[in-house]
Amino acid sequence: MFNVAIDGPSGAGKSSVSKEAAKRLGFIHVDTGALYRSLAYAAMKNDVDINDEISLKKMLNMTKISIEFKDGTQNVFVNQENVNDKIRTEQVSKAASDISKIPMIRAFLLDLQRDLANENNVVMDGRDIGSVVLPNADVKIFITASPEQRAERRYKELLAKGEKVVYNDILEKLVYRDHQDTHREIAPLKPCENAVIIDTSELDFSQSVNAVLDTIREKYKQ
Ligand code: DC
């Protein structure tokens, strides 16, 4: 199987670029952030205090996360519930960053991610894919962009969805999440040694997709 690992901070366009690149390659696209979001959603829904280890463990024992792919789109289920649309709120974003610091949570999701990569050609995006989940990935890419650019994109996305948002709030939350994701003890966000870094600050969507595809094709030839 050919595995592409794409890591990077929130809002750098990782998921949408990965999805399009996967589509063009005929690979599946796995958005691992959605898995952390799903567990955060489950904890919120069941009123589980994520700092209470016993309650969290109990929740994980009763929770099955599964993924289905339909027309190139990943659908994530918590037990039988399709949570795709419910995990895209700002509240879940914050909760996902909080819950993803917990080793038990990261361990819980590891096999699911690895199994998908063992069984499929994948473009998998997240924070620790090249470093922890798929250390032997064929291609490792780190997609980034300036915090302001990322906040601007997120702001426009939420406005388009009809949400009432303030740009400075988005930027502040994004900087907070970046700090939390890059400074946590376990699997912190950072480019791995052999990752190709793509900065999308000055690139539009199709230029970003092409930069990713060029990188993958270059490696594929070797
Ligand atoms: O990519 P995203 O914004 O949907 O991810 C949500 C949160 O999940 C993010 O704050 C960090 C965490 N995450 C992680 O720790 N490891 C991953 N592989 C993917 C996401």
Side-chain angles (χ1 to χ4, degrees):
M1 291 300 161
F2 196 87
N3 291 169
V4 180
I6 300 195
D7 291 299
S10 306
K14 245 181 354 223
S15 281
S16 45
V17 169
S18 300
K19 184 176 179 187
E20 181 61 23
K23 186 174 153 197
R24 299 235 214 128
L25 293 164
F27 289 13
I28 61 164
H29 165 233
V30 182
D31 165 5
T32 63
L35 305 176
Y36 290 90
R37 287 171 180 270
S38 301
L39 288 180
Y41 169 81
M44 281 162 60
K45 190 176 167 191
N46 296 303
D47 250 337
V48 172
D49 173 1
I50 63 165
N51 298 308
D52 174 354
E53 211 174 300
I54 294 174
S55 308
L56 196 60
K57 201 169 205 170
K58 225 188 238 169
M59 181 189 95
L60 293 181
N61 284 337
M62 295 186 313
T63 305
K64 183 170 162 40
I65 302 285
S66 50
I67 293 190
E68 280 175 19
F69 297 93
K70 207 172 170 206
D71 305 326
T73 295
Q74 163 185 300
N75 285 285
V76 183
F77 294 81
V78 176
N79 298 327
Q80 307 301 329
E81 181 185 359
N82 183 334
V83 296
N84 256 28
D85 294 332
K86 298 169 187 155
I87 58 175
R88 296 291 156 198
T89 64
E90 280 297 291
Q91 207 187 359
V92 174
S93 297
K94 156 90 174 56
S97 179
D98 292 340
I99 210 169
S100 67
K101 286 192 292 189
I102 302 171
M104 196 201 307
I105 293 290
R106 307 201 70 82
F108 181 82
L109 294 174
L110 197 56
D111 285 348
L112 171 61
Q113 298 171 84
R114 286 189 176 154
D115 289 349
L116 286 164
N118 275 334
E119 290 157 15
N120 303 276
N121 291 322
V122 294
V123 176
M124 186 175 287
D125 82 72
R127 303 292 189 289
D128 62 339
I129 309 305
S131 55
V132 177
V133 181
L134 306 176
N136 298 319
D138 300 278
V139 185
K140 296 181 186 180
I141 296 175
F142 192 86
I143 297 189
T144 189
S146 69
E148 291 75 16
Q149 273 290 343
R150 291 187 280 127
E152 172 90 24
R153 289 176 191 162
R154 180 82 185 131
Y155 173 67
K156 286 184 179 155
E157 220 175 82
L158 290 172
L159 273 191
K161 274 200 215 163
E163 289 190 33
K164 272 199 184 145
V165 278
V166 177
Y167 170 80
N168 278 335
D169 283 352
I170 305 259
L171 179 62
E172 209 173 282
K173 285 185 186 137
L174 185 136
V175 169
Y176 169 87
R177 281 211 302 278
D178 274 2
H179 186 270
Q180 181 153 273
D181 295 346
T182 48
H183 288 80
R184 67 181 175 217
E185 263 173 50
I186 176 167
L189 168 70
K190 63 169 191 307
C192 29
E193 245 171 53
N194 46 356
V196 175
I197 298 179
I198 297 177
D199 187 326
T200 65
S201 300
E202 305 296 327
L203 304 182
D204 66 18
F205 178 70
S206 83
Q207 289 169 325
S208 305
V209 172
N210 285 334
V212 166
L213 287 172
D214 288 348
T215 306
I216 296 170
R217 290 190 182 119
E218 194 56 38
K219 294 274 177 189
Y220 197 62
K221 274 194 263 163
Q222 289 169 8

